[in-house]
Short mmCIF file of all heavy atoms in Angstrom, two decimals:
data_model
loop_
_atom_site.label_atom_id
_atom_site.label_comp_id
_atom_site.label_asym_id
_atom_site.label_seq_id
_atom_site.Cartn_x
_atom_site.Cartn_y
_atom_site.Cartn_z
N PRO A 19 94.86 -15.49 -1.27
CA PRO A 19 93.65 -14.86 -1.79
C PRO A 19 92.61 -14.61 -0.70
O PRO A 19 91.98 -13.57 -0.70
CB PRO A 19 93.13 -15.88 -2.85
CG PRO A 19 94.35 -16.62 -3.21
CD PRO A 19 95.24 -16.73 -2.01
N LEU A 23 91.33 -10.85 0.16
CA LEU A 23 89.92 -10.45 0.08
C LEU A 23 89.36 -9.89 1.40
O LEU A 23 88.61 -8.88 1.33
CB LEU A 23 89.09 -11.72 -0.26
CG LEU A 23 87.62 -11.58 -0.45
CD1 LEU A 23 87.28 -10.55 -1.57
CD2 LEU A 23 86.91 -12.87 -0.72
N ALA A 194 15.40 52.61 -24.21
CA ALA A 194 14.72 52.73 -22.85
C ALA A 194 13.88 53.97 -22.88
O ALA A 194 12.76 53.92 -22.33
CB ALA A 194 15.79 52.77 -21.80
N PRO A 199 6.95 57.39 -24.50
CA PRO A 199 6.15 58.32 -25.26
C PRO A 199 4.73 57.94 -25.42
O PRO A 199 3.81 58.71 -25.16
CB PRO A 199 6.84 58.45 -26.61
CG PRO A 199 8.29 58.20 -26.36
CD PRO A 199 8.26 57.09 -25.28
N ARG A 235 23.69 43.08 -29.08
CA ARG A 235 23.15 42.24 -27.97
C ARG A 235 22.59 43.20 -26.88
O ARG A 235 21.53 42.86 -26.32
CB ARG A 235 24.29 41.42 -27.35
CG ARG A 235 23.86 40.57 -26.22
CD ARG A 235 24.99 39.70 -25.69
NE ARG A 235 24.60 38.93 -24.54
CZ ARG A 235 23.81 37.87 -24.48
NH1 ARG A 235 23.46 37.37 -25.72
NH2 ARG A 235 23.53 37.21 -23.45
N GLY A 285 4.05 36.52 -34.21
CA GLY A 285 5.11 37.00 -35.12
C GLY A 285 6.50 36.75 -34.61
O GLY A 285 7.39 36.22 -35.36
N GLY A 411 -28.26 19.48 1.02
CA GLY A 411 -28.09 20.80 1.65
C GLY A 411 -26.82 21.55 1.25
O GLY A 411 -26.76 22.76 1.57
N PRO A 496 0.38 -15.44 -23.66
CA PRO A 496 -0.40 -16.69 -23.54
C PRO A 496 -1.48 -16.59 -22.52
O PRO A 496 -1.42 -15.88 -21.50
CB PRO A 496 0.67 -17.73 -23.17
CG PRO A 496 1.97 -17.13 -23.64
CD PRO A 496 1.78 -15.71 -23.50
N PRO A 581 -29.18 -5.94 16.35
CA PRO A 581 -27.87 -6.08 15.76
C PRO A 581 -27.19 -7.39 16.12
O PRO A 581 -26.47 -7.99 15.25
CB PRO A 581 -27.09 -4.89 16.36
CG PRO A 581 -28.08 -3.90 16.69
CD PRO A 581 -29.26 -4.69 17.10
N ALA A 626 -22.56 -8.22 17.77
CA ALA A 626 -23.08 -9.11 18.86
C ALA A 626 -22.54 -8.77 20.25
O ALA A 626 -22.81 -9.42 21.21
CB ALA A 626 -22.70 -10.58 18.55
N ALA A 716 -0.71 -26.02 33.24
CA ALA A 716 -0.56 -24.75 33.97
C ALA A 716 -1.76 -23.88 33.86
O ALA A 716 -2.09 -23.11 34.72
CB ALA A 716 0.71 -23.95 33.43
#
Side-chain angles (χ1 to χ4, degrees):
L23 181 60
R235 180 177 178 80

